Amino acid sequence: MDNAANLPGLKPAFDTQETSNLLQSPVIALQPTSSKEADKQLDEWLDAARKRGENEFADHVGNNASLKGFLSAVFELSPFLCSLAKKYPVVLALCWKEGFEPALESALAEIENQSFHYNDEATLCSKLRIAKNQSALICGLADLGGWWSWKTVSAAITRTADSALAAATRHLLAEAGKAGQLELGDLQFPDRGSGYSVLAMGKHGAGELNYSSDIDLIIFFDPDAPAILDPDESVKLFVRMTRSLVRIMQERTADGYVFRMDLRLRPDPGSMPLAIPLPVALNYYESRGQNWERAALIKARPVAGDLDIGRQFLNELGPFIWRRYLDYAAIADVHSIKRQIQNHRGYNDVHVPGHNVKLGRGGIREIEFFVQTQQLIAGGRNPILRERRTVEMLHLLVEQNWIEQDTADDLASSYAFLRDLEHRLQIVADAQTHTLPEERGELKAIAHLCGQTNMKAFEKMVVAHLANVESHYAALFAAEDLLSTEQGNLSFTGDDDDPGTVDNLLSMGFENPSRAISVVRGWHFGRHPAVQSQQAREQLTELTPALLMEFCETRQADETLLNFDEFLKGLPSGIQLFSVLKANPRLLTLLSWVLSAAPRLARIITRRPHVFDGVLEPGFFEVAPSVELWQETLQRSLVQARDYEDGLDRFRIFSAEQKFLIGIRLISGAINPHQAAESFSQLAELLLLRMVDWVGSAFKDRHGEVQGAEFALVALGNLGTYELTAGSDLDIMLIYRYDPDQDESDGSVPLHASQYFGRFAQRLIAAMKAPTAQGIVYELDFRLRPHGSAGPIATSLQAFQQHFEEGAWTWERLAMARARVLGGESSFREELEIALNKAVSPDGSKAKMAKDILKMRLLMDKERPAREVWDVKLAEGGLVDIEFLAQTEILFGNLEKQRTIGDGLQSLSEQKLQNDNVTLLKAHGNFIRVIQVLRLCLDSEVPTREGPRGMIELLLQQLDLPDMKSAEAYLKDSQTVVRQIFVERLEAYAAQS
């Protein structure tokens, strides 16, 4: 690498005598791009100067070819300076008469008068803006003429910012004192002892501001400061004051603005107030502070308000910023800091038009990070390496044998060049830009502002400096990036979105990369309990690239990321989960799929993250869910219940967990939809029977027992035939029998047997379906009992038998075709099963029943029509048609009750070998697959085509079809055939005599 002497630079050099004035010829001979426009602007300025009484200076300019040429070029190339010069010709005259430094002193004199305070905010705002404008004009002229170096220019801009902040802060504190909100010791010096301190960060803290810099600040206060009257109200007071400070500094008026303020470098800006109590800030940095924040705090400097408190704060932060030892996690974060300014793959070649001289390769930020990284590593052991300023630190690194002299010279030279170039980009129009123009005419103007009229030479100069910086920077960061992907780098440090990361996330599939960056940055801030420990944050940082890639595989990356963030919010700790996900990519893929494709499961997992614990159990995917294991697990949990209500919550938690885990096994392919239906049904049966015991125990404590009485539950519908889905209600009846001679319970509050079992049924319903923070166990539906909603909630066996003997409705007999007994003593079960079988026996002619069934089904079409072809339960020719057919065959004695509808259809097809039965069996299997997936993934009336892509892919996989169009056509054809079979068979039965 060439040393600094051989690197091209702006000629002549910028570091000439700093005390010159406009009497002397400019060091840089600027050339306008348009002589006509330059002359026009100069003439307008001369008129403005004479109108303001500056005739002597105007005459001098007109007679001095060198100065005239310089000013005409400035006015043409920088509309910003031109407008200021016309507004303040007296400032140029002062630069001519006394020099640039005295002119700056004059511009800032009034706002730097500490004992002077403005009585009204409007006057203050005007004075601050005028001072800022005049300072910018002085700096711009001294800069473009080469009288001041970039260091002097930056120092002057920084001083202006410091002075404006101090004046505004003094004004606000004085006003609070006058209003009785603060007890200030001296209203002439309201900042002293106020406890309110403004800390400058970044370039502001280092004294290296540019023309259009935001000023990065952290504002905090000491709640124990003597000026604070009410510590409980101090946050509100100082937040209001900070908002006023922001308004005073950056609100645009007729005089412009002062400086834009950026408060995002404060601890966890998404949740912390604008003004932070000192103990809160210290606790944050000690417990959750990150290495990029350590780097930012290297340049921190108290600039306004209570300076003593600011210095005390930085002293207390010393152990956080300057660690004696650096662990591997911190080194990894240093690499992440590097990536904050690094663009995505494919941007290695530097093209001058459009290049960002701050964030781009070889830019200013790389030099600053080159310095700060080594300060983080060595500054803890060596206090000499704690300098805020960039170039001075380069020389200190040489002195302390961290870098070679040539490296320091190269980087210092390039830093000076790039800072000068940055100043020229911004002085054109007071725009906060760091990007070289794409348009050739605008780029030519920048070259002219740099004193270069040869564009090829200018571009060569720019590329040489960028390459110089990149070379040294790459040598320092030769280690492999931890957060790189095949697409490029991912960086979430700092307060601004890294352009390379934004582009990378867009290319990966994120539609809102800024929101994604904000979410991940929130993890770095430890905003959730799961990421508040350093170890958890380190693990998640390493896991982040894989997470984002998995989210992108879902083709709805943004929503999946937000769902994962909600999931994290509910986790008490993340260390175990992150470790397992890192070690088991299959689980990572599965979690991503759930969060993207199954909103129903995603809501469960985000509300109750602990349900995912079961997936982490060894062999989860190899072992099918076991009723015996469920019994043991539920019993262990219930034994620990504190009371009745706590036990009910344990039922709810267990139900949610196990339904979720069945669903996970289904979508992962560990079980198929028919096995899932069986598992959902077995789980529901277990929970029902255990809840009967739990409710019964509490019920007996109050009402005792009806001696000799017995009862059982009867499962109906999908529960009766083991075909529940994730979203099913439970259709049941409670049937009891008692001895008329012992018809009252023996508890402290006795009840007649009919009341006893009715109350018990109500208590069971409440226990199962009453919603709490833990959700519900199951919805229970008793409407299929004799007489429906008009009948008693619990039915005696005698009443049940009498109802069906005397002539039940056809729909009631049809329902009994899927009934089975749950629980109860064996003798009572046998008697009840006999009653259920009799209830299925035809009453009257089969023809009438067939007509009733057909009429009932067609009425359902009108009253509960299917929304779409995917509504395979209610669709004409859907599951209801098939179930009604199977139940009809049972009613008519053509088919014995089977465990499931599918088993019944299989039996029919084997008995009669009819093509229709085979068709029904196949359609039933496909409909079951569809409904299991839909009920698992969705819990709202979302059109299937608008559902998550992952869910759609799973549906297509279950049907073994390539796309939605094919699947919908297939389902429609199946439903048409099923409806045809249904109608033909029922009409055939109806025609029989």
Side-chain angles (χ1 to χ4, degrees):
M1 168 60 64
D2 294 335
N3 62 28
N6 295 321
L7 281 168
L10 296 180
K11 297 179 180 179
F14 273 68
D15 54 349
T16 55
Q17 185 179 358
E18 306 284 338
T19 57
S20 301
N21 58 29
L22 285 174
L23 280 170
Q24 298 175 301
S25 297
V27 178
I28 293 180
L30 294 186
Q31 297 293 322
T33 59
S34 169
S35 298
K36 183 178 179 180
E37 179 64 24
D39 291 341
K40 175 188 173 186
Q41 294 299 337
L42 181 65
D43 288 342
E44 291 180 0
W45 175 80
L46 288 170
D47 289 342
R50 289 191 172 96
K51 288 178 182 178
R52 300 292 181 89
E54 297 298 338
N55 294 304
E56 181 183 3
F57 179 52
D59 291 342
H60 175 75
V61 171
N63 296 324
N64 187 313
S66 175
L67 184 55
K68 181 179 179 180
F70 169 71
L71 289 178
S72 64
V74 169
F75 296 159
E76 189 258 335
L77 296 170
S78 173
F80 172 57
L81 290 182
C82 183
S83 65
L84 292 180
K86 293 175 183 177
K87 194 171 185 178
Y88 308 107
V90 66
V91 172
L92 274 74
L94 192 60
C95 293
W96 170 59
K97 295 172 184 177
E98 300 185 18
F100 296 108
E101 290 186 6
L104 182 67
E105 296 294 335
S106 175
L108 300 181
E110 189 168 0
I111 68 171
E112 289 186 341
N113 181 358
Q114 288 198 349
S115 62
F116 182 79
H117 305 297
Y118 302 103
N119 292 324
D120 65 277
E121 189 173 298
T123 303
L124 170 71
C125 289
S126 178
K127 295 289 186 183
L128 293 179
R129 281 155 180 75
I130 291 171
K132 162 65 184 306
N133 290 338
Q134 293 182 351
S135 170
L137 178 57
I138 294 163
C139 291
L141 293 170
D143 182 2
L144 293 178
W147 289 288
W148 281 4
S149 71
W150 75 269
K151 287 184 183 179
T152 306
V153 172
S154 291
I157 298 171
T158 302
R159 175 179 167 185
T160 304
D162 288 355
S163 301
L165 276 170
T169 303
R170 287 196 302 270
H171 168 79
L172 291 170
L173 289 168
E175 290 299 301
K178 293 175 187 176
Q181 297 169 327
L182 292 173
E183 188 174 329
L184 301 172
D186 186 349
L187 282 177
Q188 290 299 310
F189 301 95
D191 40 6
R192 298 177 184 175
S194 66
Y196 182 78
S197 190
V198 180
L199 207 65
M201 308 290 287
K203 283 186 171 67
H204 188 187
E208 296 174 340
L209 284 177
N210 49 51
Y211 290 108
S212 296
S213 289
D214 288 353
I215 51 176
D216 294 306
L217 305 173
I218 296 178
I219 297 177
F220 56 90
F221 65 91
D222 181 2
D224 296 325
I228 295 177
L229 297 172
D230 185 353
D232 293 335
E233 294 295 316
S234 57
V235 172
K236 292 182 181 179
L237 169 64
F238 288 124
V239 166
R240 285 197 303 269
M241 188 178 295
T242 301
R243 289 200 177 101
S244 297
L245 181 62
V246 171
R247 186 184 66 254
I248 289 170
M249 292 293 290
Q250 70 180 34
E251 189 175 69
R252 288 186 178 271
T253 69
D255 294 311
Y257 70 103
V258 191
F259 285 91
R260 291 177 297 270
M261 288 175 57
D262 191 335
L263 302 176
R264 290 176 297 169
L265 281 183
R266 71 187 186 275
D268 196 357
S271 59
M272 291 278 192
L274 296 178
I276 304 171
L278 188 63
V280 174
L282 289 170
N283 179 66
Y284 168 85
Y285 286 119
E286 290 170 1
S287 61
R288 291 189 282 153
Q290 300 167 65
N291 286 301
W292 73 263
E293 291 174 301
R294 292 174 56 212
L297 286 165
I298 288 174
K299 296 184 177 184
R301 178 174 59 91
V303 293
D306 194 331
L307 300 183
D308 289 338
I309 287 293
R311 296 186 190 101
Q312 174 190 331
F313 176 66
L314 288 178
N315 286 336
E316 292 189 49
L317 279 184
F320 166 70
I321 304 170
W322 306 110
R323 296 179 186 170
R324 183 167 293 275
Y325 304 105
L326 193 71
D327 60 1
Y328 289 106
I331 293 173
D333 266 1
V334 169
H335 288 295
S336 183
I337 293 171
K338 170 216 175 181
R339 285 185 298 273
Q340 174 66 21
I341 57 90
Q342 194 165 14
N343 291 319
H344 60 82
R345 188 178 65 185
Y347 197 57
N348 293 323
D349 296 332
V350 174
H351 301 285
V352 173
H355 191 76
N356 190 309
V357 300
K358 176 183 177 182
L359 300 178
R361 288 191 178 276
I364 293 167
R365 187 67 69 83
E366 288 194 353
I367 302 173
E368 293 170 343
F369 277 22
F370 178 96
V371 169
Q372 288 173 289
T373 297
Q374 294 178 89
Q375 285 183 279
L376 285 178
I377 294 171
R381 297 186 299 276
N382 188 349
I384 294 174
L385 299 176
R386 299 181 184 180
E387 167 65 47
R388 295 187 182 97
R389 294 169 296 177
T390 302
V391 173
E392 283 72 6
M393 257 312 304
L394 284 169
H395 297 311
L396 288 173
L397 287 170
V398 173
E399 290 179 12
Q400 300 300 310
N401 299 313
W402 277 85
I403 62 175
E404 298 293 331
Q405 184 68 54
D406 284 354
T407 298
D409 291 342
D410 284 352
L411 291 176
S413 175
S414 291
Y415 193 68
F417 175 88
L418 294 171
R419 290 305 306 273
D420 280 329
L421 185 55
E422 179 184 47
H423 283 167
R424 277 139 187 77
L425 289 170
Q426 296 182 351
I427 205 65
V428 173
D430 189 31
Q432 189 186 20
T433 181
H434 310 277
T435 303
L436 289 161
E438 297 271 5
E439 200 273 322
R440 297 301 294 182
E442 294 177 4
L443 186 61
K444 181 181 179 182
I446 298 299
H448 278 233
L449 280 172
C450 295
Q452 294 288 332
T453 56
N454 186 319
M455 288 300 293
K456 287 185 178 180
F458 172 71
E459 293 191 28
K460 183 178 180 181
M461 187 188 308
V462 173
V463 170
H465 280 288
L466 296 174
N468 170 51
V469 174
E470 173 65 13
S471 174
H472 288 297
Y473 193 62
L476 179 65
F477 291 99
E480 180 182 359
D481 287 332
L482 294 178
L483 287 184
S484 61
T485 69
E486 292 181 1
Q487 284 72 27
N489 291 316
L490 296 171
S491 173
F492 305 96
T493 58
D495 61 318
D496 294 324
D497 293 350
D498 167 40
T501 299
V502 170
D503 290 344
N504 189 18
L505 290 173
L506 280 171
S507 68
M508 291 168 67
F510 283 90
E511 296 178 0
N512 191 336
S514 290
R515 184 174 61 185
I517 291 171
S518 176
V519 169
V520 177
R521 192 179 288 141
W523 305 343
H524 291 181
F525 280 121
R527 289 179 185 160
H528 308 325
V531 288
Q532 285 183 351
S533 75
Q534 182 177 343
Q535 183 182 357
R537 290 197 299 274
E538 291 168 6
Q539 288 181 335
L540 186 54
T541 296
E542 293 182 31
L543 190 62
T544 296
L547 275 172
L548 297 180
M549 292 299 293
E550 285 292 348
F551 297 163
C552 291
E553 288 295 319
T554 68
R555 293 187 291 172
Q556 46 189 25
D558 299 79
E559 182 178 349
T560 308
L561 174 62
L562 295 177
N563 285 340
F564 181 75
D565 187 58
E566 286 295 318
F567 171 55
L568 284 187
K569 283 182 184 178
L571 285 177
S573 172
I575 292 175
Q576 180 187 6
L577 175 67
F578 301 152
S579 299
V580 172
L581 292 178
K582 281 171 60 181
N584 193 331
R586 180 183 180 186
L587 286 182
L588 181 55
T589 301
L590 182 63
L591 176 61
S592 176
W593 197 98
V594 168
L595 294 173
S596 66
R600 182 189 190 91
L601 293 183
R603 272 185 277 278
I604 293 174
I605 201 172
T606 52
R607 292 170 185 163
R608 304 182 186 86
H610 60 268
V611 301
F612 200 71
D613 292 348
V615 182
L616 308 181
E617 293 290 332
F620 171 81
F621 295 101
E622 285 70 37
V623 180
S626 159
V627 175
E628 292 73 25
L629 180 60
W630 282 339
Q631 289 173 330
E632 293 174 10
T633 306
L634 180 58
Q635 181 59 29
R636 283 197 302 270
S637 177
L638 292 176
V639 166
Q640 300 173 22
R642 298 184 301 274
D643 51 33
Y644 176 78
E645 291 297 335
D646 183 44
L648 294 184
D649 270 344
R650 290 172 182 271
F651 273 100
R652 294 168 185 130
I653 292 170
F654 181 82
S655 174
E657 285 181 350
Q658 299 308 321
K659 283 189 276 189
F660 174 81
L661 295 175
I662 293 169
I664 289 292
R665 286 185 169 99
L666 173 57
I667 64 175
S668 67
I671 59 176
N672 62 42
H674 296 280
Q675 292 170 319
E678 177 100 4
S679 292
F680 282 127
S681 303
Q682 290 175 330
L683 175 65
E685 180 176 343
L686 168 67
L687 286 166
L688 261 176
L689 295 178
R690 288 297 287 116
M691 185 65 83
V692 165
D693 296 338
W694 188 261
V695 172
S697 178
F699 192 78
K700 291 174 186 175
D701 288 344
R702 179 173 175 79
H703 299 293
E705 295 183 80
V706 178
Q707 294 298 321
E710 297 177 285
F711 77 95
L713 299 179
V714 175
L716 302 161
N718 287 336
L719 177 60
T721 51
Y722 293 93
E723 289 168 332
L724 289 183
T725 69
S728 292
D729 297 344
L730 305 185
D731 293 306
I732 61 173
M733 293 189 299
L734 190 153
I735 298 181
Y736 63 92
R737 178 182 63 186
Y738 68 98
D739 183 345
D741 295 332
Q742 293 181 312
D743 60 357
E744 190 172 83
S745 66
D746 55 11
S748 58
V749 182
L751 296 171
H752 184 271
S754 59
Q755 290 181 299
Y756 183 91
F757 289 107
R759 292 267 188 95
F760 178 75
Q762 294 286 4
R763 185 73 65 88
L764 179 64
I765 293 171
M768 290 289 283
K769 67 183 290 186
T772 69
Q774 300 298 339
I776 67 170
V777 185
Y778 274 102
E779 289 279 357
L780 298 188
D781 190 338
F782 277 71
R783 289 176 297 175
L784 291 180
R785 66 188 185 271
H787 303 293
S789 299
I793 193 72
T795 306
S796 71
L797 178 60
Q798 181 182 5
F800 177 86
Q801 292 169 322
Q802 183 178 354
H803 177 74
F804 280 93
E805 287 171 0
E806 293 178 355
W809 294 97
T810 299
W811 69 262
E812 292 177 302
R813 296 188 184 280
L814 198 68
M816 293 305 110
R818 300 176 73 182
R820 63 186 176 91
V821 181
L822 304 180
E825 297 295 331
S826 58
S827 59
F828 182 60
R829 283 177 62 95
E830 291 175 6
E831 191 171 346
L832 181 53
E833 285 170 354
I834 292 171
L836 290 175
N837 288 332
K838 286 184 178 180
V840 175
S841 301
D843 178 29
S845 72
K846 293 182 180 180
K848 179 182 180 303
M849 294 184 71
K851 291 177 183 178
D852 289 344
I853 295 169
L854 181 58
K855 181 179 179 181
M856 180 169 54
R857 180 65 187 101
L858 296 179
L859 182 62
M860 287 179 65
D861 289 340
K862 295 180 180 180
E863 295 183 349
R864 298 175 61 192
R867 294 174 296 109
E868 57 174 354
V869 70
W870 292 96
D871 191 352
V872 295
K873 178 179 180 179
L874 295 177
E876 296 180 17
L879 271 174
V880 172
D881 289 54
I882 297 174
E883 291 166 353
F884 275 20
L885 274 177
Q887 290 164 266
T888 300
E889 298 291 358
I890 293 172
L891 283 181
F892 292 175
N894 300 326
L895 177 66
E896 291 186 3
K897 278 188 181 181
Q898 302 289 329
R899 184 176 178 86
T900 69
I901 294 291
D903 291 342
L905 293 172
Q906 180 69 44
S907 175
L908 269 177
S909 64
E910 290 175 353
Q911 289 174 24
K912 297 187 178 182
L913 298 177
Q914 293 181 3
N915 290 333
D916 285 355
N917 292 334
V918 173
T919 299
L920 292 174
L921 179 62
K922 183 177 180 181
H924 180 267
N926 285 327
F927 293 165
I928 288 293
R929 293 184 185 94
V930 168
I931 201 168
Q932 284 291 343
V933 171
L934 291 177
R935 294 291 188 271
L936 179 66
C937 294
L938 300 178
D939 57 3
S940 58
E941 298 292 315
V942 176
T944 303
R945 271 187 171 273
E946 298 176 13
R949 293 172 185 165
M951 180 198 75
I952 290 173
E953 289 176 1
L954 185 57
L955 284 172
L956 296 177
Q957 177 186 330
Q958 293 295 330
L959 294 173
D960 194 22
L961 291 169
D963 51 52
M964 289 291 283
K965 185 177 180 180
S966 301
E968 290 174 351
Y970 176 78
L971 289 176
K972 184 62 178 174
D973 289 344
S974 297
Q975 291 162 8
T976 300
V977 173
V978 167
R979 173 50 63 97
Q980 182 179 352
I981 295 171
F982 175 79
V983 173
E984 288 177 353
R985 191 167 295 185
L986 266 296
E987 286 180 344
Y989 282 129
Q992 294 177 2
S993 57

